[in-house]
Amino acid sequence: MEIIPYENRHADGLRNLLMPILRDEHGYDVHYEDMPDLQDIAGHYRVGIGECWVTISKDEVVGVMSILDIGDQQAALRKFFVRKDYRGDKKGTAKHMLQHLVSYAKKSDLNTIILGTTPAFVSGHRFYEKSGFLRLEPEQLPVKFPRSQVHSRFYYLPIEKER
């Protein structure tokens, strides 16, 4: 398994990863073409310290995660998804991806990563909490945090500086 920055050659793999998760697992009536961030990843995510990565296994995209630079040494975690057959503690894909993200955050001098999720995503809540994320009330969100209509539960991860 390898985590690398997204390149345009990953577009089909990203579509094949996201659409079954969003449509079939979560029941969202969404189309890949209707997600402007995915139509221009470089212009949307690669601003400031923002980035988008894909996780590759056997030449297939099995995970994606991206962060948006929201200023004040903070980033919003967006599009954190792992293909169903790569999930769980035994596979360790999400944990490996999060370790990659934290390493990047330290190198980029971030002090906080913030995310929004849905109340129904209980397994995600457990993963975030087990990984050190703390609950954040909506009124505590930074002004520049990109709010989504579907997100009503929020977490933040303080980034420990290396000594």
Side-chain angles (χ1 to χ4, degrees), residues 11-146:
D12 288 341
L14 185 58
R15 175 193 307 259
N16 294 339
L17 168 73
L18 288 177
M19 290 301 90
I21 294 171
L22 294 173
R23 296 182 73 119
D24 302 338
E25 291 182 38
H26 294 283
Y28 294 124
D29 183 21
V30 64
H31 301 277
Y32 190 80
E33 296 75 19
D34 297 333
M35 293 185 263
D37 61 327
L38 299 179
Q39 306 313 308
D40 181 18
I41 286 180
H44 189 81
Y45 290 109
R46 292 188 176 131
V47 177
I49 55 86
E51 184 56 270
C52 179
W53 299 271
V54 290
T55 302
I56 306 292
S57 178
K58 301 175 186 167
D59 294 323
E60 293 184 324
V61 175
V62 299
V64 64
M65 68 179 166
S66 57
I67 57 170
L68 281 173
D69 184 343
I70 60 172
D72 296 324
Q73 295 179 291
Q74 299 176 326
L77 177 59
R78 309 290 291 186
K79 300 285 190 288
F80 190 76
F81 293 101
V82 176
R83 199 169 79 185
K84 196 172 197 170
D85 56 331
Y86 279 81
R87 295 181 198 153
D89 287 339
K90 289 184 181 178
K91 291 284 185 181
T93 307
K95 183 178 179 179
H96 186 63
M97 291 169 63
L98 186 58
Q99 288 169 342
H100 182 87
L101 177 61
V102 169
S103 176
Y104 178 84
K106 288 177 181 180
K107 291 176 194 169
S108 301
D109 205 31
L110 284 172
N111 62 29
T112 310
I113 297 171
I114 304 167
L115 67 90
T117 186
T118 66
F121 192 39
V122 177
S123 62
H125 304 164
R126 282 193 304 265
F127 170 75
Y128 294 129
E129 290 166 6
K130 205 164 67 170
S131 300
F133 281 82
L134 305 167
R135 285 290 299 272
L136 187 66
E137 295 304 318
E139 58 273 7
Q140 296 174 298
L141 289 169
V143 174
K144 292 184 179 180
F145 182 80

